[in-house]
Amino acid sequence: MIRSRCRFVLGALGSQSSKPLLPGHHYGPFPLLAPALHTRISRSESTTSNGTQRSGTTFPPKTKDSTSLRPTARVNPSTSTLPPPLALPERKIEETGIRTLKFYYRTGEAYLTFYKTGVKAIYQNYKILRQLRSRIPPGRSVEQALRDGHLSRAEYHLVRRTRSDVSRIPLFGLVLVVCGEFTPLVVLFLGLDAAVPRICHVPRQIDGARKRQEEARRKSFREGTITGKELVDFSDVSNLPKPILAHVANSLGLVSGFWNVTGITPRPLVSWRLRKAVDRIDADDFAIDRDGGAKHLNEEELKLAAEARGIDVVGRPVGGLRSDLYHWADARKHTPMIHLFCTRPSAWPRTKA
């Protein structure tokens, strides 16, 4: 059974081709999938003339100068960095017996197709990532390259998301081969979100994670984790008082649910993750302002940007999220970021007209 699932997964990536591997070709983090990844689907079969996949996933245009792109293309990463559409079959009430089994079989096939599309997108994004690496000067971080103008916001997030997805491929591939059609159930039941590439998160998985995160944030605010007296200017996040550090960790999801249950805040780990988060958000604020502003962000990018800043997104209209990002950008001009993490958007200071 495992052997058949291996053939099934590799077949999705084109392993049925008999083409030999290119001598000396670099397959990056996918050496075990090299025979499959070597095969390329022709452009006429897999994409339309404007570079859009028939499955609904688009890849960024190949260009050496991102400044020539429209603001929407500069600020919004390719949809290939987001989960592909998941088309599940509808179950009819009168279906019983064999028809019920067929329904579950079709459902399993739909999930496998979803995962295969996601893995294909990761490989395509990885090839683009290798091209973008040449534009990052030696010794400079991706955030520094963004600020120096070597990358657009869209390219910056493609680099970050692809690196994260690629790092999760080995463990996720093992789970997918062993569990096959039952992978979604195993992931949801065992809480293996961290082992699954973000691009392979199913809608239920994303919605559940967002609801849990927002509930943890509401609980932290309700319990009065912080007070106004503690909101002073902290230039070094490693020196934050424990109440503020615990609140920010819950608000931004810097620690897993295990630490919330134990009531322990692993200070070195949280301080390191918070420092990284502050650097990313600061660079992202700069890129959004430079590359056209929040008005050009699409719906999904608005949600992701709001999530990263500790803003609730579940059930909220696009207009409200865009307004909060405008408010965030305005407050950042004269308010430390830690203050904004510790207060609700309604309490953020506003610039007087």
Side-chain angles (χ1 to χ4, degrees):
M1 180 177 292
I2 292 180
R3 182 179 299 177
S4 64
R5 286 172 180 168
C6 288
R7 288 197 299 266
F8 189 73
V9 174
L10 294 176
L13 295 168
S15 61
Q16 296 178 357
S17 172
S18 58
K19 294 182 179 180
L21 298 182
L22 291 177
H25 186 73
H26 177 63
Y27 290 95
F30 303 88
L32 297 180
L33 301 181
L37 297 176
H38 171 65
T39 304
R40 292 179 174 84
I41 303 175
S42 67
R43 184 179 180 84
S44 61
E45 293 177 345
S46 61
T47 61
T48 60
S49 60
N50 64 355
T52 303
Q53 275 198 340
R54 301 188 188 281
S55 62
T57 300
T58 60
F59 294 94
K62 294 182 179 179
T63 176
K64 295 183 179 180
D65 183 13
S66 61
T67 59
S68 62
L69 301 177
R70 295 175 300 173
T72 52
R74 285 179 54 80
V75 80
N76 292 304
S78 165
T79 57
S80 66
T81 64
L82 301 174
L86 174 60
L88 294 176
E90 295 184 3
R91 182 179 182 181
K92 298 179 181 179
I93 300 178
E94 63 273 11
E95 288 184 339
T96 57
I98 298 298
R99 292 184 178 180
T100 300
L101 295 178
K102 289 182 177 180
F103 164 77
Y104 286 119
Y105 177 77
R106 293 195 304 268
T107 300
E109 281 191 325
Y111 276 113
L112 279 182
T113 299
F114 171 83
Y115 288 134
K116 291 183 293 183
T117 304
V119 172
K120 285 181 182 179
I122 292 174
Y123 178 62
Q124 295 296 330
N125 291 338
Y126 177 74
K127 292 194 294 184
I128 298 171
L129 168 62
R130 291 180 60 202
Q131 297 174 5
L132 293 177
R133 282 176 179 169
S134 63
R135 288 162 48 186
I136 302 177
R140 305 288 284 177
S141 68
V142 65
E143 284 78 19
Q144 291 171 329
L146 174 69
R147 289 182 176 278
D148 293 342
H150 298 296
L151 299 174
S152 68
R153 181 183 185 271
E155 292 166 337
Y156 165 70
H157 280 283
L158 185 144
V159 170
R160 284 195 57 251
R161 294 173 189 177
T162 302
R163 284 178 175 176
S164 175
D165 286 341
V166 167
S167 68
R168 302 179 184 187
I169 279 291
L171 180 56
F172 175 69
L174 178 62
V175 174
L176 186 60
V177 168
V178 173
C179 301
E181 299 87 340
F182 299 100
T183 298
L185 297 178
V186 174
V187 170
L188 293 173
F189 181 74
L190 298 180
L192 299 178
D193 289 3
V196 180
R198 175 78 184 191
I199 200 173
C200 292
H201 283 198
V202 299
R204 180 179 176 183
Q205 199 174 349
I206 295 174
D207 292 341
R210 283 175 172 167
K211 290 177 181 178
R212 289 192 300 271
Q213 185 55 51
E214 293 184 11
E215 177 56 34
R217 187 179 302 129
R218 283 192 292 268
K219 181 180 179 182
S220 184
F221 275 111
R222 283 197 307 265
E223 293 179 348
T225 305
I226 58 173
T227 64
K229 296 180 180 180
E230 293 172 311
L231 289 180
V232 296
D233 186 10
F234 293 101
S235 57
D236 186 359
V237 297
S238 61
N239 293 327
L240 288 177
K242 185 177 179 180
I244 294 182
L245 190 64
H247 170 79
V248 175
N250 288 324
S251 182
L252 301 185
L254 302 181
V255 292
S256 65
F258 168 78
W259 297 107
N260 291 330
V261 172
T262 60
I264 301 174
T265 302
R267 189 179 188 89
L269 175 63
V270 175
S271 297
W272 179 79
R273 289 182 175 177
L274 177 57
R275 193 178 299 109
K276 292 288 186 181
V278 168
D279 290 343
R280 288 195 302 267
I281 295 172
D282 191 54
D284 195 42
D285 286 343
F286 169 82
I288 290 175
D289 181 65
R290 182 196 64 187
D291 292 341
K295 64 181 179 181
H296 293 296
L297 291 173
N298 59 36
E299 181 177 355
E300 189 56 35
E301 290 302 321
L302 275 173
K303 291 181 179 180
L304 292 174
E307 272 187 299
R309 291 157 176 79
I311 301 172
D312 293 346
V313 301
V314 176
R316 298 191 58 201
V318 172
L321 296 177
R322 203 180 303 275
S323 176
D324 280 350
L325 284 184
Y326 285 143
H327 193 180
W328 169 277
D330 180 56
R332 277 294 317 277
K333 296 176 182 177
H334 43 74
T335 307
M337 195 184 300
I338 297 298
H339 289 216
L340 303 184
F341 291 149
C342 296
T343 53
R344 288 294 195 179
S346 59
W348 291 345
R350 297 178 182 271
T351 301
K352 295 182 179 179

